[in-house]
Amino acid sequence: MIHLRQVCLVAGALAPAVSALRDVLGLPVAHVDPAVGKFGLENTLLTLGSQFLEVVAPTRAGTAAGRYLDRRGGDGGYMVICQAGDRDAQDAVRANARAAGVREAYFSDRGTWNVCQFHPGDMRATFLEVDWDAQGEVAGNWMPAGGLEWQAAGAAPGAITAVEIQGDDPAALAAHWAGVLGTQAEGPEAAPTVALANATLRFVADSDGRGPGLGGLDLRLPDPAAARLRADAAGFGHPEGALICGTRFRFLAA
């Protein structure tokens, strides 16, 4: 099975976006990865349960992240990052992607950890990343967060339960993602879903005029009302939770 382990947001400036997420959600910093510098980026990962919210920001001109910011008119969702249960599962997704005409934007075989990113244009909305590591701990070791380094910082209780991906034709977009992931889309044509092992991908029409992309997240929190109050007080209020880093956050009760 494929698990959702991380969602990446992209911002024009890193610090304000990270501060907003920490202030509203109370998330600890899990990891800062200097290796993203080779892509012209800086980042911070925050922990929610055994999953991660990452924010990246360009540090130079001409980056893929910068082009994505330009295309979508500012900060927003950037990557859906999953963990394959084993190498065969990752290979199956790669084969599905090739059959669907989806290019690999980046692949790195690191021996006990493989990183594979699929082109956002070919995915018709946003990046999909499917990683594999030899330990296979879907709630433990996660190399993008420094292996087990994130556990030393603690974790805020909760989970990312859904990712909302928007586009002009939700049904076609859901079918495309389902084909790459090796599963099937379900539910109503206006808002079909694709089930992962621990979360749902929900596909909706572009209602904010920003075009195809990762538009929102559902978070399961122990006290969603308190999080909503903090969002309102900080100026990030939204009818269902918060609007932070150009991303809609829906707060749900645990």
Side-chain angles (χ1 to χ4, degrees):
M1 294 291 288
I2 305 293
H3 284 73
L4 178 70
R5 278 308 292 274
Q6 185 171 320
V7 172
C8 180
L9 312 180
V10 61
L14 182 66
V18 171
S19 294
L21 290 168
R22 298 197 70 195
D23 291 346
V24 173
L25 299 172
L27 305 182
V29 173
H31 184 62
V32 174
D33 185 3
V36 301
K38 67 183 179 182
F39 301 109
L41 301 172
E42 57 182 346
N43 83 334
T44 298
L45 275 75
L46 308 172
T47 313
L48 181 63
S50 58
Q51 297 166 304
F52 305 92
L53 273 175
E54 178 186 15
V55 183
V56 299
T59 57
R60 64 172 186 250
T63 64
R67 291 190 293 272
Y68 195 84
L69 283 167
D70 292 341
R71 180 170 71 80
R72 299 207 70 230
D75 298 358
Y78 191 45
M79 290 187 176
V80 179
I81 303 175
C82 300
Q83 180 175 357
D86 55 35
R87 189 192 295 264
D88 288 345
Q90 186 193 48
D91 286 344
V93 174
R94 297 179 70 196
N96 294 339
R98 287 192 295 271
V102 174
R103 292 166 289 172
E104 292 181 2
Y106 178 74
F107 180 79
S108 177
D109 184 341
R110 305 180 186 186
T112 58
W113 171 34
N114 289 355
V115 180
C116 187
Q117 297 176 352
F118 299 100
H119 196 284
D122 293 348
M123 292 304 300
R124 306 177 189 172
T126 194
F127 275 101
L128 170 65
E129 178 174 325
V130 179
D131 294 355
W132 163 82
D133 76 65
Q135 296 194 42
E137 298 174 0
V138 298
N141 186 78
W142 181 235
M143 295 308 296
L148 293 175
E149 177 185 322
W150 63 273
Q151 293 182 340
I160 306 169
T161 60
V163 180
E164 192 166 86
I165 300 170
Q166 64 187 47
D168 297 332
D169 186 340
L173 188 57
H176 182 60
W177 277 64
V180 172
L181 289 165
T183 185
Q184 294 186 349
E186 301 177 343
E189 187 171 313
T193 60
V194 172
L196 302 177
N198 63 338
T200 299
L201 306 180
R202 183 173 60 247
F203 297 84
V204 300
D206 171 14
S207 61
D208 58 17
R210 299 188 64 191
L214 195 170
L217 299 174
D218 290 5
L219 305 184
R220 188 177 70 239
L221 302 174
D223 192 344
R228 185 172 290 117
L229 287 174
R230 291 193 295 270
D232 291 343
F236 300 110
H238 185 269
E240 293 182 300
L243 181 65
I244 303 174
C245 195
T247 306
R248 300 179 295 271
F249 287 83
R250 178 184 295 176
F251 299 155
L252 306 174

